Amino acid sequence: MATPSHHQNPTPSTKKKKTHKNPEANFLYELNSCSKSKDLKAAISLYDSALSNNTRLNQSHFNTLLYLCSTFATDPDSKDLALRYGFRVFDHMMALNIHPNEASITSIARLSAAKGDGDYAFEMVKKLGDYQVSPRLRTYEPALFCFCQKLEAEKAYEVEEDIDKMGLSLEEPQIAALLKLSADTWRGERVYNYLHKLRRSVSWVSEETCKVLEDWFCCKASEIGSDVGSVKEAILRNGGGWHGLGWIGEGKWVVKKGNVEPNGRCCCCGEQLDCVDIDDVETEKFALSVAGLALEREVKANFREFQDWLEKNADYEAIVDGANIGLYQQNFAEGGFSVLQLDAVIKEMYTRSGNKWPLVILHNKRVRALLENPSHRKLVEEWMANGVLYTTPHGSNDDWYWLYATVKLRCLLVTNDEMRDHIFELLGSSFFLKWKERYQVRYTFLKGALKLQMPPAYSIVIQESEKGSWHVPIVCESDEESLRSWLCITRPGGCEDEGKTGSTMETCEIVNGPCCKSSENRNNEKCDDKTTSMTGKRKERSP
């Protein structure tokens, strides 16, 4: 009889126990647990024990300790302990000749700023270059905020210059800090420039930034002016909504908070907000970028032929993505390509533009199929006779053609395409989203009836008018734009509704004087939309 093996089916008691982690790994594991639970004292106790046991420390150990210390550096109860151990840990790290990385420097910069030493925080950031490491925006923040809080303007501006040299872009918190610093030190030109940096960086401002602006305008009277003609020219050149030529007008500012009606009219001052366009330089760069990418991916001869054709036929005011509309909601058994849907869009855009035909981009394979169908032939031939169709060649991607035409001609684009494909990712996100908001027309068909969603009548961005007034959108938790508050900043006498606090007007939250809201808006009734239904090219926009 075979003797049973003692190695088969071992009981739990006979299993070999797992070996413990080495001291370094165990120390890091426990440190990370302290970091997650935000337990600074336990982490310091672990660090002291590691020193007593001669545990070999590495960059991860030091970074975790530095991060915890920097986190507690602004806590009144733990600040002294965090600062004392934070600098001790960093000195230990350097003594062991362990090179700091960006995370290490960010932590020590935060500790330095908490100590009130912005100079050392900035010095640490500049030393990153010695280790061939690039700083991030967060690495600069401690020094920048420290200088701003201490009103050390020139030092703060030096940090900003270094940020620019590194190719980094300021965001709202940094711009707001610089704006407040400039306001507190009465540097009006700097305030003006930071307002425009803010306009370029964010769509709307936080309540904290709004307060900075309120404080500045409520106590500042400016008497700087610009030539009216040059202001109008600059606004047109820049795409509307700003001129960038400096403060305009004189006397104290009137600062109010209120809403903007759906048609773009400010309820406080009655001024019409602009639908901000892309400026000429940006548009030309965008068109060249689209063309360059298209020529890399399309047959060059075909796309160049389209470019030449477009130069000679540049009078279109709307481009239509034919395939997107024809195939809309056609994913059912009898579905195909809806000529009637496409024709409805063509006719509607023709009417809205004052009897000017749009340009429909459609693949030649699709057009041939439509012409071969007797029930569609007459309608397609009508499009062709009216110069509506441009057929793209075999093997081409329609997207490049309608995108280039829209950008080059500064036209509206009718499509529901969200433009998230790889070809659109090549164009960058920030500018592309701004362009889409200004030019894309979306559509729906409800029980066969076409409904177009035109671009907004006004842009939700900081706006500077030719009169010198400012309108600043404030962050809003609601998706309903009519509920968004705006900071309205004008000169005395600039408000059309000033003094109208009778039966048709109500007083809203004020900053410096009464601000009027229409009773219709308060009752959520529909405002009279006096804007035109078609947003045309820049040359036909109202000033």
Side-chain angles (χ1 to χ4, degrees):
M1 181 181 287
T3 305
S5 170
H6 293 291
H7 298 289
Q8 293 179 353
N9 302 321
T11 61
S13 60
T14 63
K15 286 182 180 180
K16 188 176 180 180
K17 291 183 179 180
K18 291 183 180 179
T19 58
H20 288 291
K21 295 176 181 177
N22 62 55
E24 290 80 11
N26 192 49
F27 178 40
L28 182 60
Y29 174 80
E30 292 178 339
L31 269 182
N32 285 334
S33 296
C34 292
S35 181
K36 288 179 182 177
S37 61
K38 297 289 189 294
D39 193 338
L40 176 63
K41 290 182 179 178
I44 287 174
S45 178
L46 285 170
Y47 173 64
D48 288 338
S49 296
L51 294 182
S52 300
N53 298 327
N54 293 318
T55 304
R56 188 176 179 179
L57 305 184
N58 58 37
Q59 189 185 71
S60 296
H61 298 128
F62 286 114
N63 277 357
T64 304
L65 285 162
L66 285 169
Y67 169 75
L68 258 176
C69 289
S70 67
T71 301
F72 282 88
T74 54
D75 183 319
D77 297 330
S78 305
K79 182 175 180 177
D80 291 341
L81 182 67
L83 290 176
R84 186 168 71 254
Y85 266 88
F87 286 106
R88 178 182 168 186
V89 166
F90 186 70
D91 289 340
H92 185 191
M93 179 182 183
M94 299 304 289
L96 293 176
N97 202 28
I98 296 175
H99 289 176
N101 60 11
E102 185 273 332
S104 318
I105 295 298
T106 297
S107 292
I108 199 64
R110 287 172 179 165
L111 287 162
S112 302
K115 192 179 176 182
D117 193 348
D119 293 305
Y120 188 71
F122 191 28
E123 182 185 333
M124 287 293 98
V125 177
K126 290 188 281 189
K127 280 189 175 179
L128 267 179
D130 297 341
Y131 305 107
Q132 287 75 52
V133 177
S134 297
R136 294 163 60 182
L137 186 58
R138 70 174 188 176
T139 323
Y140 284 101
E141 278 187 340
L144 180 66
F145 291 154
C146 185
F147 290 142
C148 288
Q149 288 166 5
K150 296 173 74 174
L151 299 184
E152 295 180 321
E154 297 307 324
K155 291 180 179 180
Y157 299 148
E158 185 184 346
V159 176
E160 182 192 7
E161 288 175 10
D162 212 63
I163 291 172
D164 289 340
K165 287 177 185 175
M166 295 303 300
L168 301 171
S169 298
L170 296 177
E171 296 174 357
E172 183 179 355
Q174 300 87 41
I175 298 172
L178 287 162
L179 196 151
K180 185 177 187 306
L181 166 69
S182 302
D184 290 344
T185 54
W186 295 94
R187 299 165 190 254
E189 188 176 344
R190 286 274 188 176
V191 172
Y192 184 85
N193 290 333
Y194 286 126
L195 255 175
H196 277 294
K197 281 198 174 186
L198 200 60
R199 176 188 57 78
R200 293 192 295 269
S201 301
V202 299
S203 295
W204 45 77
V205 304
S206 65
E207 290 287 355
E208 293 78 11
T209 303
C210 178
K211 182 66 169 61
V212 173
L213 294 174
E214 291 171 17
D215 291 345
W216 162 259
F217 283 105
C218 284
C219 67
K220 179 64 177 173
S222 175
E223 297 181 355
I224 303 173
S226 296
D227 175 66
V228 174
S230 62
V231 169
K232 288 185 176 180
E233 182 183 337
I235 286 178
L236 186 62
R237 181 178 63 251
N238 294 330
W242 69 283
H243 54 78
L245 298 179
W247 305 116
I248 293 178
E250 58 184 4
K252 290 186 177 181
W253 298 93
V254 179
V255 184
K256 305 179 182 180
K257 272 186 182 176
N259 301 121
V260 172
E261 294 177 354
N263 61 6
R265 179 180 174 274
C266 174
C267 294
C268 288
C269 68
E271 190 165 350
Q272 177 68 38
L273 269 62
D274 219 334
C275 185
V276 179
D277 204 344
I278 315 301
D279 70 44
D280 293 339
V281 175
E282 286 179 316
T283 301
E284 187 58 32
K285 285 181 180 177
F286 191 31
L288 290 172
S289 175
V290 173
L293 290 168
L295 288 168
E296 289 176 10
R297 290 156 177 78
E298 296 287 308
V299 176
K300 287 183 177 156
N302 291 338
F303 196 77
R304 284 205 173 106
E305 181 181 343
F306 175 64
Q307 287 180 292
D308 293 339
W309 180 87
L310 207 60
E311 289 289 342
K312 299 169 185 174
N313 299 270
D315 200 35
Y316 293 100
E317 293 192 0
I319 308 297
V320 177
D321 179 1
N324 184 268
I325 294 163
L327 296 173
Y328 177 73
Q329 292 184 337
Q330 297 301 303
N331 55 340
F332 54 91
E334 296 79 23
F337 186 93
S338 176
V339 174
L340 293 180
Q341 284 182 176
L342 181 53
D343 189 58
V345 171
I346 292 171
K347 297 293 198 308
E348 179 64 19
M349 295 307 289
Y350 174 79
T351 302
R352 284 176 178 255
S353 64
N355 299 338
K356 295 186 76 171
W357 293 106
L359 174 63
V360 178
I361 306 291
L362 202 57
H363 199 278
N364 63 359
K365 182 179 179 181
R366 183 81 62 188
V367 173
R368 282 202 306 269
L370 295 175
L371 287 170
E372 289 169 2
N373 187 325
S375 61
H376 296 155
R377 173 183 280 273
K378 185 176 180 181
L379 191 54
V380 176
E381 287 179 340
E382 179 185 315
W383 295 344
M384 296 173 75
N386 289 320
V388 169
L389 275 180
Y390 187 92
T391 58
T392 56
H394 176 73
S396 62
N397 184 338
D398 292 1
D399 295 356
W400 288 116
Y401 288 76
W402 53 251
L403 179 60
Y404 177 75
T406 307
V407 176
K408 186 66 179 176
L409 303 185
R410 305 184 86 130
C411 285
L412 294 175
L413 170 65
V414 188
T415 183
N416 281 350
D417 192 325
E418 290 301 326
M419 297 178 245
R420 292 176 181 150
D421 296 345
H422 69 281
I423 73 165
F424 303 110
E425 291 176 0
L426 298 171
L427 299 168
S429 58
S430 178
F431 176 86
F432 195 48
L433 290 173
K434 184 178 176 183
W435 175 83
K436 279 172 56 177
E437 179 186 299
R438 171 65 180 84
Y439 288 102
Q440 186 173 5
V441 178
R442 291 179 173 83
Y443 62 88
T444 55
F445 284 93
L446 299 174
K447 297 181 180 180
L450 169 66
K451 182 179 180 182
L452 295 179
Q453 181 185 334
M454 304 300 288
Y458 66 100
S459 299
I460 304 167
V461 294
I462 296 173
Q463 298 201 20
E464 176 192 32
S465 78
E466 63 183 74
K467 299 176 184 177
S469 63
W470 291 82
H471 288 86
V472 182
I474 305 169
V475 66
C476 178
E477 294 181 2
S478 172
D479 292 333
E480 181 57 51
E481 281 303 327
S482 63
L483 299 178
R484 182 184 301 281
S485 290
W486 287 67
L487 200 61
C488 171
I489 306 160
T490 59
R491 297 290 188 181
C495 290
E496 291 180 10
D497 296 331
E498 191 171 0
K500 294 182 182 179
T501 54
S503 59
T504 61
M505 310 302 279
E506 297 178 5
T507 302
C508 73
E509 179 184 2
I510 64 172
V511 177
N512 184 24
C515 172
C516 301
K517 284 185 180 180
S518 67
S519 298
E520 288 181 341
N521 277 351
R522 281 300 183 93
N523 296 325
N524 295 321
E525 295 179 10
K526 186 176 180 181
C527 293
D528 180 25
D529 190 346
K530 297 179 181 178
T531 56
T532 57
S533 57
M534 178 79 174
T535 306
K537 292 186 183 180
R538 175 179 297 178
K539 63 186 179 183
E540 296 186 14
R541 252 197 359 239
S542 298

Short mmCIF file of all heavy atoms in Angstrom, two decimals, residues 137-184:
data_model
loop_
_atom_site.label_atom_id
_atom_site.label_comp_id
_atom_site.label_asym_id
_atom_site.label_seq_id
_atom_site.Cartn_x
_atom_site.Cartn_y
_atom_site.Cartn_z
N LEU A 137 2.68 75.00 -12.12
CA LEU A 137 2.06 76.23 -11.60
C LEU A 137 1.96 76.17 -10.07
O LEU A 137 2.19 77.17 -9.39
CB LEU A 137 0.68 76.42 -12.23
CG LEU A 137 -0.03 77.74 -11.91
CD1 LEU A 137 0.81 78.94 -12.33
CD2 LEU A 137 -1.40 77.77 -12.57
N ARG A 138 1.63 75.00 -9.55
CA ARG A 138 1.48 74.86 -8.09
C ARG A 138 2.81 75.10 -7.36
O ARG A 138 2.81 75.49 -6.20
CB ARG A 138 0.95 73.47 -7.75
CG ARG A 138 1.94 72.34 -7.99
CD ARG A 138 1.43 71.01 -7.50
NE ARG A 138 2.47 69.98 -7.56
CZ ARG A 138 2.31 68.73 -7.12
NH1 ARG A 138 1.16 68.37 -6.59
NH2 ARG A 138 3.30 67.86 -7.20
N THR A 139 3.93 74.87 -8.07
CA THR A 139 5.24 75.08 -7.44
C THR A 139 5.50 76.56 -7.20
O THR A 139 6.16 76.94 -6.23
CB THR A 139 6.35 74.50 -8.35
OG1 THR A 139 5.89 73.29 -8.96
CG2 THR A 139 7.59 74.20 -7.55
N TYR A 140 4.96 77.39 -8.08
CA TYR A 140 5.15 78.85 -7.96
C TYR A 140 4.17 79.49 -6.99
O TYR A 140 4.41 80.59 -6.48
CB TYR A 140 4.97 79.51 -9.32
CG TYR A 140 6.13 79.35 -10.27
CD1 TYR A 140 6.08 78.41 -11.30
CD2 TYR A 140 7.26 80.16 -10.17
CE1 TYR A 140 7.14 78.27 -12.19
CE2 TYR A 140 8.31 80.03 -11.06
CZ TYR A 140 8.25 79.09 -12.06
OH TYR A 140 9.29 78.96 -12.94
N GLU A 141 3.02 78.84 -6.77
CA GLU A 141 1.94 79.46 -6.01
C GLU A 141 2.36 79.98 -4.63
O GLU A 141 2.00 81.10 -4.26
CB GLU A 141 0.77 78.49 -5.86
CG GLU A 141 -0.15 78.46 -7.05
CD GLU A 141 -1.39 77.62 -6.79
OE1 GLU A 141 -1.34 76.78 -5.86
OE2 GLU A 141 -2.39 77.80 -7.50
N PRO A 142 3.09 79.20 -3.82
CA PRO A 142 3.42 79.69 -2.47
C PRO A 142 4.16 81.02 -2.48
O PRO A 142 3.81 81.94 -1.73
CB PRO A 142 4.28 78.56 -1.90
CG PRO A 142 3.86 77.34 -2.64
CD PRO A 142 3.57 77.81 -4.03
N ALA A 143 5.19 81.13 -3.33
CA ALA A 143 5.95 82.39 -3.39
C ALA A 143 5.06 83.52 -3.90
O ALA A 143 5.06 84.63 -3.35
CB ALA A 143 7.16 82.22 -4.30
N LEU A 144 4.29 83.24 -4.95
CA LEU A 144 3.43 84.28 -5.53
C LEU A 144 2.41 84.79 -4.51
O LEU A 144 2.26 86.01 -4.31
CB LEU A 144 2.72 83.72 -6.76
CG LEU A 144 1.79 84.69 -7.49
CD1 LEU A 144 2.58 85.84 -8.11
CD2 LEU A 144 0.98 83.96 -8.57
N PHE A 145 1.70 83.87 -3.86
CA PHE A 145 0.68 84.27 -2.89
C PHE A 145 1.30 84.98 -1.69
O PHE A 145 0.71 85.91 -1.13
CB PHE A 145 -0.13 83.06 -2.44
CG PHE A 145 -1.03 82.49 -3.50
CD1 PHE A 145 -1.42 81.16 -3.49
CD2 PHE A 145 -1.51 83.29 -4.53
CE1 PHE A 145 -2.25 80.63 -4.46
CE2 PHE A 145 -2.34 82.78 -5.53
CZ PHE A 145 -2.70 81.44 -5.48
N CYS A 146 2.48 84.53 -1.28
CA CYS A 146 3.15 85.16 -0.15
C CYS A 146 3.50 86.62 -0.46
O CYS A 146 3.23 87.51 0.34
CB CYS A 146 4.41 84.38 0.21
SG CYS A 146 5.27 84.97 1.68
N PHE A 147 4.06 86.85 -1.63
CA PHE A 147 4.41 88.22 -2.04
C PHE A 147 3.15 89.09 -2.18
O PHE A 147 3.16 90.26 -1.82
CB PHE A 147 5.19 88.21 -3.35
CG PHE A 147 6.58 87.64 -3.24
CD1 PHE A 147 7.11 86.85 -4.26
CD2 PHE A 147 7.37 87.91 -2.13
CE1 PHE A 147 8.40 86.34 -4.15
CE2 PHE A 147 8.66 87.40 -2.03
CZ PHE A 147 9.18 86.60 -3.04
N CYS A 148 2.09 88.49 -2.71
CA CYS A 148 0.84 89.26 -2.88
C CYS A 148 0.26 89.66 -1.52
O CYS A 148 -0.18 90.80 -1.34
CB CYS A 148 -0.18 88.43 -3.67
SG CYS A 148 0.20 88.26 -5.43
N GLN A 149 0.27 88.73 -0.57
CA GLN A 149 -0.28 89.02 0.75
C GLN A 149 0.54 90.09 1.48
O GLN A 149 0.00 90.91 2.23
CB GLN A 149 -0.33 87.74 1.58
CG GLN A 149 -1.41 86.77 1.13
CD GLN A 149 -1.23 85.38 1.71
OE1 GLN A 149 -0.35 85.14 2.53
NE2 GLN A 149 -2.07 84.44 1.27
N LYS A 150 1.84 90.11 1.24
CA LYS A 150 2.72 91.08 1.91
C LYS A 150 2.86 92.37 1.11
O LYS A 150 3.65 93.24 1.46
CB LYS A 150 4.10 90.44 2.13
CG LYS A 150 4.06 89.24 3.08
CD LYS A 150 5.39 88.52 3.16
CE LYS A 150 6.38 89.32 3.97
NZ LYS A 150 7.65 88.56 4.19
N LEU A 151 2.08 92.48 0.00
CA LEU A 151 2.09 93.66 -0.88
C LEU A 151 3.49 93.95 -1.44
O LEU A 151 3.85 95.11 -1.68
CB LEU A 151 1.55 94.90 -0.14
CG LEU A 151 0.10 94.81 0.36
CD1 LEU A 151 -0.32 96.14 0.97
CD2 LEU A 151 -0.85 94.41 -0.75
N GLU A 152 4.26 92.90 -1.68
CA GLU A 152 5.58 93.04 -2.30
C GLU A 152 5.39 92.87 -3.81
O GLU A 152 5.65 91.81 -4.38
CB GLU A 152 6.55 92.01 -1.72
CG GLU A 152 6.82 92.25 -0.24
CD GLU A 152 7.79 91.25 0.38
OE1 GLU A 152 7.72 90.06 0.02
OE2 GLU A 152 8.61 91.68 1.20
N ALA A 153 4.91 93.96 -4.41
CA ALA A 153 4.45 93.91 -5.80
C ALA A 153 5.53 93.50 -6.79
O ALA A 153 5.32 92.62 -7.63
CB ALA A 153 3.85 95.25 -6.19
N GLU A 154 6.69 94.13 -6.72
CA GLU A 154 7.73 93.85 -7.71
C GLU A 154 8.18 92.40 -7.65
O GLU A 154 8.46 91.77 -8.68
CB GLU A 154 8.93 94.79 -7.50
CG GLU A 154 8.61 96.27 -7.70
CD GLU A 154 7.94 96.56 -9.04
OE1 GLU A 154 8.29 95.90 -10.03
OE2 GLU A 154 7.06 97.44 -9.08
N LYS A 155 8.24 91.84 -6.45
CA LYS A 155 8.62 90.43 -6.31
C LYS A 155 7.55 89.51 -6.88
O LYS A 155 7.86 88.50 -7.53
CB LYS A 155 8.87 90.11 -4.84
CG LYS A 155 10.11 90.77 -4.25
CD LYS A 155 10.30 90.40 -2.79
CE LYS A 155 11.56 91.07 -2.22
NZ LYS A 155 11.77 90.72 -0.79
N ALA A 156 6.29 89.86 -6.67
CA ALA A 156 5.19 89.06 -7.22
C ALA A 156 5.20 89.10 -8.74
O ALA A 156 5.01 88.08 -9.41
CB ALA A 156 3.85 89.59 -6.70
N TYR A 157 5.46 90.28 -9.31
CA TYR A 157 5.52 90.40 -10.77
C TYR A 157 6.70 89.61 -11.33
O TYR A 157 6.64 89.08 -12.44
CB TYR A 157 5.62 91.87 -11.18
CG TYR A 157 4.44 92.72 -10.74
CD1 TYR A 157 4.61 94.08 -10.42
CD2 TYR A 157 3.15 92.19 -10.64
CE1 TYR A 157 3.54 94.86 -10.01
CE2 TYR A 157 2.08 92.96 -10.23
CZ TYR A 157 2.28 94.30 -9.92
OH TYR A 157 1.22 95.08 -9.51
N GLU A 158 7.79 89.53 -10.56
CA GLU A 158 8.95 88.75 -11.00
C GLU A 158 8.60 87.27 -11.07
O GLU A 158 9.01 86.56 -12.00
CB GLU A 158 10.12 88.97 -10.03
CG GLU A 158 11.41 88.28 -10.49
CD GLU A 158 12.54 88.42 -9.48
OE1 GLU A 158 12.42 89.25 -8.55
OE2 GLU A 158 13.53 87.67 -9.62
N VAL A 159 7.83 86.79 -10.09
CA VAL A 159 7.37 85.40 -10.12
C VAL A 159 6.51 85.16 -11.35
O VAL A 159 6.65 84.16 -12.05
CB VAL A 159 6.58 85.04 -8.84
CG1 VAL A 159 6.02 83.63 -8.93
CG2 VAL A 159 7.46 85.16 -7.61
N GLU A 160 5.62 86.12 -11.63
CA GLU A 160 4.75 85.99 -12.81
C GLU A 160 5.58 85.91 -14.08
O GLU A 160 5.30 85.10 -14.98
CB GLU A 160 3.79 87.18 -12.89
CG GLU A 160 2.83 87.08 -14.07
CD GLU A 160 2.08 88.37 -14.35
OE1 GLU A 160 2.39 89.39 -13.73
OE2 GLU A 160 1.19 88.34 -15.22
N GLU A 161 6.61 86.71 -14.19
CA GLU A 161 7.49 86.68 -15.37
C GLU A 161 8.15 85.32 -15.52
O GLU A 161 8.28 84.80 -16.63
CB GLU A 161 8.56 87.77 -15.25
CG GLU A 161 8.03 89.19 -15.45
CD GLU A 161 9.10 90.24 -15.20
OE1 GLU A 161 10.29 89.85 -15.05
OE2 GLU A 161 8.76 91.44 -15.14
N ASP A 162 8.57 84.73 -14.40
CA ASP A 162 9.21 83.42 -14.46
C ASP A 162 8.21 82.35 -14.89
O ASP A 162 8.55 81.43 -15.64
CB ASP A 162 9.79 83.07 -13.09
CG ASP A 162 11.04 82.22 -13.20
OD1 ASP A 162 12.04 82.70 -13.77
OD2 ASP A 162 11.02 81.06 -12.74
N ILE A 163 6.97 82.49 -14.44
CA ILE A 163 5.91 81.56 -14.85
C ILE A 163 5.72 81.63 -16.36
O ILE A 163 5.60 80.61 -17.04
CB ILE A 163 4.59 81.88 -14.11
CG1 ILE A 163 4.73 81.55 -12.62
CG2 ILE A 163 3.43 81.12 -14.72
CD1 ILE A 163 3.56 82.01 -11.77
N ASP A 164 5.69 82.85 -16.89
CA ASP A 164 5.54 83.04 -18.33
C ASP A 164 6.71 82.42 -19.10
O ASP A 164 6.52 81.78 -20.14
CB ASP A 164 5.45 84.53 -18.67
CG ASP A 164 4.12 85.13 -18.23
OD1 ASP A 164 3.16 84.36 -18.03
OD2 ASP A 164 4.04 86.37 -18.07
N LYS A 165 7.93 82.60 -18.59
CA LYS A 165 9.11 82.05 -19.26
C LYS A 165 9.07 80.54 -19.34
O LYS A 165 9.57 79.93 -20.29
CB LYS A 165 10.38 82.48 -18.52
CG LYS A 165 10.76 83.94 -18.69
CD LYS A 165 11.99 84.30 -17.86
CE LYS A 165 12.30 85.79 -17.94
NZ LYS A 165 13.44 86.16 -17.05
N MET A 166 8.44 79.92 -18.34
CA MET A 166 8.34 78.46 -18.31
C MET A 166 7.21 77.95 -19.19
O MET A 166 6.98 76.74 -19.29
CB MET A 166 8.15 77.97 -16.88
CG MET A 166 9.33 78.23 -15.94
SD MET A 166 10.88 77.51 -16.55
CE MET A 166 10.45 75.78 -16.61
N GLY A 167 6.48 78.86 -19.84
CA GLY A 167 5.39 78.45 -20.72
C GLY A 167 4.14 78.02 -19.97
O GLY A 167 3.28 77.34 -20.54
N LEU A 168 4.01 78.41 -18.70
CA LEU A 168 2.84 78.07 -17.91
C LEU A 168 1.82 79.20 -17.97
O LEU A 168 2.18 80.36 -18.17
CB LEU A 168 3.23 77.81 -16.45
CG LEU A 168 4.24 76.68 -16.23
CD1 LEU A 168 4.73 76.68 -14.78
CD2 LEU A 168 3.64 75.33 -16.58
N SER A 169 0.56 78.86 -17.80
CA SER A 169 -0.51 79.87 -17.87
C SER A 169 -1.15 80.06 -16.50
O SER A 169 -1.48 79.09 -15.81
CB SER A 169 -1.59 79.43 -18.87
OG SER A 169 -1.04 79.32 -20.16
N LEU A 170 -1.32 81.32 -16.13
CA LEU A 170 -1.99 81.64 -14.87
C LEU A 170 -3.46 81.25 -14.94
O LEU A 170 -4.10 81.35 -16.00
CB LEU A 170 -1.88 83.13 -14.57
CG LEU A 170 -0.48 83.71 -14.34
CD1 LEU A 170 -0.57 85.21 -14.14
CD2 LEU A 170 0.19 83.06 -13.14
N GLU A 171 -4.00 80.83 -13.82
CA GLU A 171 -5.42 80.53 -13.70
C GLU A 171 -6.07 81.55 -12.77
O GLU A 171 -5.41 82.45 -12.26
CB GLU A 171 -5.60 79.09 -13.22
CG GLU A 171 -5.06 78.08 -14.22
CD GLU A 171 -5.08 76.65 -13.72
OE1 GLU A 171 -5.48 76.43 -12.54
OE2 GLU A 171 -4.68 75.75 -14.48
N GLU A 172 -7.37 81.41 -12.56
CA GLU A 172 -8.10 82.44 -11.81
C GLU A 172 -7.51 82.76 -10.44
O GLU A 172 -7.35 83.94 -10.11
CB GLU A 172 -9.58 82.06 -11.66
CG GLU A 172 -10.36 83.15 -10.94
CD GLU A 172 -11.84 82.83 -10.80
OE1 GLU A 172 -12.29 81.80 -11.33
OE2 GLU A 172 -12.54 83.62 -10.13
N PRO A 173 -7.15 81.78 -9.60
CA PRO A 173 -6.63 82.13 -8.27
C PRO A 173 -5.38 83.00 -8.32
O PRO A 173 -5.26 83.97 -7.55
CB PRO A 173 -6.32 80.76 -7.63
CG PRO A 173 -7.21 79.81 -8.34
CD PRO A 173 -7.28 80.31 -9.75
N GLN A 174 -4.46 82.70 -9.24
CA GLN A 174 -3.23 83.49 -9.33
C GLN A 174 -3.51 84.89 -9.90
O GLN A 174 -2.97 85.89 -9.42
CB GLN A 174 -2.20 82.77 -10.21
CG GLN A 174 -1.79 81.40 -9.72
CD GLN A 174 -2.72 80.31 -10.20
OE1 GLN A 174 -3.15 80.30 -11.34
NE2 GLN A 174 -3.03 79.35 -9.34
N ILE A 175 -4.36 84.94 -10.94
CA ILE A 175 -4.68 86.24 -11.53
C ILE A 175 -5.41 87.13 -10.52
O ILE A 175 -5.14 88.33 -10.40
CB ILE A 175 -5.53 86.07 -12.81
CG1 ILE A 175 -4.76 85.28 -13.87
CG2 ILE A 175 -5.93 87.43 -13.38
CD1 ILE A 175 -5.58 84.90 -15.09
N ALA A 176 -6.34 86.52 -9.78
CA ALA A 176 -7.09 87.28 -8.78
C ALA A 176 -6.17 87.83 -7.70
O ALA A 176 -6.33 88.97 -7.23
CB ALA A 176 -8.17 86.40 -8.14
N ALA A 177 -5.16 87.04 -7.29
CA ALA A 177 -4.21 87.51 -6.28
C ALA A 177 -3.39 88.69 -6.80
O ALA A 177 -3.18 89.68 -6.09
CB ALA A 177 -3.29 86.36 -5.88
N LEU A 178 -2.95 88.59 -8.05
CA LEU A 178 -2.18 89.69 -8.66
C LEU A 178 -3.05 90.92 -8.88
O LEU A 178 -2.59 92.06 -8.73
CB LEU A 178 -1.57 89.22 -9.98
CG LEU A 178 -0.38 88.25 -9.85
CD1 LEU A 178 -0.14 87.51 -11.16
CD2 LEU A 178 0.88 89.01 -9.43
N LEU A 179 -4.30 90.68 -9.24
CA LEU A 179 -5.24 91.80 -9.44
C LEU A 179 -5.47 92.53 -8.12
O LEU A 179 -5.45 93.77 -8.07
CB LEU A 179 -6.55 91.25 -10.01
CG LEU A 179 -7.53 92.23 -10.63
CD1 LEU A 179 -8.34 91.54 -11.71
CD2 LEU A 179 -8.45 92.83 -9.61
N LYS A 180 -5.68 91.78 -7.04
CA LYS A 180 -5.89 92.41 -5.73
C LYS A 180 -4.64 93.16 -5.28
O LYS A 180 -4.72 94.27 -4.74
CB LYS A 180 -6.26 91.34 -4.70
CG LYS A 180 -6.61 91.93 -3.33
CD LYS A 180 -7.03 90.86 -2.35
CE LYS A 180 -7.55 91.46 -1.04
NZ LYS A 180 -6.61 92.39 -0.41
N LEU A 181 -3.48 92.56 -5.49
CA LEU A 181 -2.22 93.22 -5.14
C LEU A 181 -2.09 94.55 -5.88
O LEU A 181 -1.75 95.58 -5.28
CB LEU A 181 -1.05 92.30 -5.50
CG LEU A 181 0.34 92.94 -5.52
CD1 LEU A 181 0.79 93.29 -4.10
CD2 LEU A 181 1.35 92.01 -6.18
N SER A 182 -2.39 94.54 -7.17
CA SER A 182 -2.28 95.75 -7.99
C SER A 182 -3.30 96.79 -7.56
O SER A 182 -3.00 98.00 -7.56
CB SER A 182 -2.47 95.40 -9.47
OG SER A 182 -1.50 94.44 -9.89
N ALA A 183 -4.49 96.33 -7.18
CA ALA A 183 -5.51 97.26 -6.70
C ALA A 183 -5.11 97.87 -5.36
O ALA A 183 -5.24 99.08 -5.14
CB ALA A 183 -6.85 96.55 -6.58
N ASP A 184 -4.59 97.03 -4.47
CA ASP A 184 -4.21 97.51 -3.14
C ASP A 184 -3.02 98.46 -3.18
O ASP A 184 -2.83 99.28 -2.27
CB ASP A 184 -3.87 96.32 -2.23
CG ASP A 184 -5.10 95.50 -1.85
OD1 ASP A 184 -6.22 96.01 -2.03
OD2 ASP A 184 -4.93 94.36 -1.39
#
